[in-house]
């Protein structure tokens, strides 16, 4: 199955509930009370493509890093959890308006991903490069939409990678 990234647009009230118990996010999700996005396993490669660093290195002051892994790490031993507050979400949405992902994607290099040991370990499959690039584009577009929606609603974004 692997480590998949899920993103949830949440209100301040929902965040307060989640702080007391992470299981609440699943209740919100099942009831359709949160806008959510799933980028599957492309979170590390997307982070690297946008920042030049693996997602294992949370770049606290980098808006594009915050988009992928959250600005603030929340303590949990079983899964990676990040949160970005509404004011930072608005900054990320503005930054995303300046990003030309097609230009960034032109720099994509499978060998570089392999050397950096990025997750997932798919970088030996050169024949899959077009599909991988499509997955990266889908992941970026999906997060772009979620962050713009969250900014519009003055919501934060919770990131769960497990």
């Amino acid at each position: 199955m692997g480590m998949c990234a899920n993103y949830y647009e949440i209100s301040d009230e929902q965040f307060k509930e989640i702080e007391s118990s992470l299981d609440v996010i699943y209740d919100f999700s099942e009831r359709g009370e949160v806008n959510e996005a799933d980028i599957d396993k492309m979170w590390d490669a997307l982070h690297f493509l946008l920042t030049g660093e693996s997602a294992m290195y949370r770049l606290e002051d980098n808006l594009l890093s915050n988009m992928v892994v959250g600005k603030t790490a929340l303590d949990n031993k079983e899964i990676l959890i990040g949160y970005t507050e509404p004011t930072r979400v608005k900054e990320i949405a503005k930054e995303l308006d300046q990003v030309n992902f097609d230009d960034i994607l032109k720099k994509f290099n499978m060998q570089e991903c392999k050397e950096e040991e990025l997750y997932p370990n798919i970088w030996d499959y050169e024949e899959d490069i077009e599909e991988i690039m499509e997955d990266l584009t889908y992941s970026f577009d999906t997060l772009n939409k979620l962050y713009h929606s969250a900014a519009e609603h003055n919501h934060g974004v919770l990131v769960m990678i497990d």
Side-chain angles (χ1 to χ4, degrees):
M1 188 162 133
M3 295 178 64
C4 298
N6 292 288
Y7 299 78
Y8 303 90
E9 175 186 338
I10 58 173
S11 67
D12 287 339
E13 295 79 26
Q14 288 169 322
F15 179 67
K16 288 176 182 142
E17 288 182 58
I18 291 165
E19 280 184 306
S20 63
S21 171
L22 282 174
D23 292 333
V24 172
I25 193 65
Y26 302 112
D27 294 338
F28 291 145
S29 180
E30 285 177 15
R31 293 190 305 253
E33 295 175 11
V34 291
N35 180 15
E36 58 187 290
D38 176 355
I39 66 166
D40 201 28
K41 298 175 182 80
M42 296 311 287
W43 51 273
D44 197 19
L46 181 63
H47 189 277
F48 182 76
L49 197 54
L50 294 170
T51 69
E53 296 286 343
S54 167
M56 297 303 142
Y57 305 101
R58 181 186 308 272
L59 307 173
E60 212 171 291
D61 295 326
N62 183 303
L63 293 169
L64 297 177
S65 175
N66 296 167
M67 177 186 75
V68 178
V69 294
K71 181 171 187 327
T72 306
L74 301 178
D75 188 29
N76 189 292
K77 294 170 180 36
E78 296 157 18
I79 57 179
L80 178 90
I81 303 171
Y83 176 72
T84 304
E85 72 280 357
T87 54
R88 188 68 166 188
V89 166
K90 288 179 182 178
E91 292 173 18
I92 291 169
K94 286 180 186 174
E95 179 76 10
L96 289 169
D97 290 338
Q98 307 304 312
V99 172
N100 182 328
F101 194 71
D102 289 334
D103 286 347
I104 291 172
L105 200 56
K106 290 176 186 174
K107 301 174 190 170
F108 178 68
N109 181 305
M110 298 268 286
Q111 183 60 36
E112 197 173 19
C113 293
K114 181 179 179 177
E115 289 169 7
E116 293 291 327
E117 299 178 359
L118 298 180
Y119 185 82
N121 185 12
I122 56 174
W123 313 117
D124 286 329
Y125 304 102
E126 285 287 336
E127 67 275 9
D128 293 337
I129 191 166
E130 292 299 321
E131 183 179 341
I132 292 168
M133 291 172 70
E134 287 174 14
D135 287 348
L136 286 165
T137 300
Y138 171 82
S139 297
F140 178 80
D141 291 345
T142 299
L143 291 184
N144 190 358
K145 288 176 189 166
L146 181 99
Y147 274 87
H148 275 87
S149 175
E152 182 180 318
H153 296 110
N154 198 36
H155 287 166
V157 173
L158 183 76
V159 180
M160 296 176 67
I161 302 174
D162 66 346

